[in-house]
Amino acid sequence: MAITLYVGGKSVYAKKEKPSDKYVLDPTFEAAALASEEHQSHLREFLSERDNERAEKKRKMEEAGRERTACGS
């Protein structure tokens, strides 16, 4: 990333991007990141299933309430 600092409209500092700079990920960190992503994926799946179950239970309760109201009228 090239950086240029301007003060009063004049460039006072500039640093050009070095093409040799490469990002290297530590293998231990990479393994931990992958494990974390897998864990997050399982957590998202669990929460989604739980939300779906709650929505289904709520829908059934509302439906039962409507049936009771219709029969009681």
Side-chain angles (χ1 to χ4, degrees), residues 34-67:
L34 290 173
S36 176
E37 179 56 39
E38 184 177 345
H39 177 73
Q40 289 294 322
S41 175
H42 288 303
L43 181 60
R44 281 190 296 273
E45 185 179 326
F46 168 77
L47 292 174
S48 177
E49 287 175 7
R50 187 179 70 173
D51 287 344
N52 290 341
E53 288 172 2
R54 286 181 174 180
E56 180 68 20
K57 184 184 257 186
K58 183 177 179 182
R59 186 186 63 76
K60 285 181 180 180
M61 289 178 67
E62 289 173 352
E63 194 174 289
R66 280 192 293 260
E67 288 177 5

Side-chain angles (χ1 to χ4, degrees), residues 2-49:
I3 299 172
T4 305
L5 177 64
Y6 292 95
V7 175
K10 295 180 181 179
S11 172
V12 294
Y13 176 79
K15 180 179 179 183
K16 294 185 180 181
E17 184 176 0
K18 295 180 185 177
S20 62
D21 289 347
K22 292 185 180 178
Y23 179 72
V24 178
L25 191 60
D26 180 4
T28 304
F29 179 79
E30 186 175 15
L34 290 173
S36 176
E37 179 56 39
E38 184 177 345
H39 177 73
Q40 289 294 322
S41 175
H42 288 303
L43 181 60
R44 281 190 296 273
E45 185 179 326
F46 168 77
L47 292 174
S48 177
E49 287 175 7

